[in-house]
Amino acid sequence: MYAIFLNGGKQHRVKEGQIIRLEKINLKIGKSIKFKEILMITDKKNIKIGTPILSQSLIEAYIENHGKHKKIKILKFNKRKHYKKTQGHRQLFTDVKITKIITNTKEFN
């Protein structure tokens, strides 16, 4: 069984027990979190697609880790104009472990 949910303007495909890296969530490590914007849930036989979201379904997870990605370099350069600007960026992230995919319909239980 897997589900597709929306978080931070991005869609993520997850299974139970999977660890996924999301944009930073402001909760402490070990706290649980529920995702309610679920777009689709499926197992091998049944598919449940929301219009646009499934209202009676949710994904339970808990926060495992916070961190920063590797630094990316941003370089702006104009040839023959004596202009060069460098900048760096490190995106914050949160590692989340999916514990349950819950749906209220009988066909997935």
Side-chain angles (χ1 to χ4, degrees), residues 7 12 31 33 41-42 57 69 76 91-92 106:
N7 181 267
H12 303 279
K31 296 282 185 178
I33 186 168
I41 295 177
T42 183
S57 302
H69 286 285
K76 295 181 181 180
Q91 183 68 39
L92 299 173
K106 294 178 183 176

Side-chain angles (χ1 to χ4, degrees), residues 8-99:
K10 298 177 183 137
Q11 296 176 8
H12 303 279
R13 180 181 186 253
V14 294
K15 293 190 277 189
E16 288 185 10
Q18 181 180 357
I19 297 173
I20 188 167
R21 186 163 280 181
L22 302 174
E23 291 185 11
K24 186 168 188 296
I25 299 170
N26 288 324
L27 290 174
K28 292 186 178 182
I29 295 174
K31 296 282 185 178
S32 73
I33 186 168
K34 295 179 182 178
F35 299 105
K36 296 180 181 176
E37 293 185 341
I38 299 172
L39 303 173
M40 184 179 86
I41 295 177
T42 183
D43 60 1
K44 296 189 184 236
K45 296 178 183 175
N46 303 311
I47 298 174
K48 190 80 170 167
I49 299 173
T51 55
I53 62 171
L54 294 169
S55 61
Q56 297 179 349
S57 302
L58 60 96
I59 296 175
E60 288 183 356
Y62 71 92
I63 295 177
E64 283 205 334
N65 190 18
H66 294 295
K68 289 183 180 182
H69 286 285
K70 288 184 177 180
K71 183 176 274 194
I72 60 168
K73 300 261 182 173
I74 301 152
L75 178 67
K76 295 181 181 180
F77 179 75
N78 287 341
K79 189 167 79 171
R80 292 187 213 93
K81 304 289 188 228
H82 199 23
Y83 174 78
K84 179 181 172 185
K85 181 179 179 182
T86 58
Q87 185 178 1
H89 176 72
R90 292 185 72 184
Q91 183 68 39
L92 299 173
F93 68 83
T94 300
D95 286 336
V96 174
K97 184 168 185 173
I98 306 299
T99 55

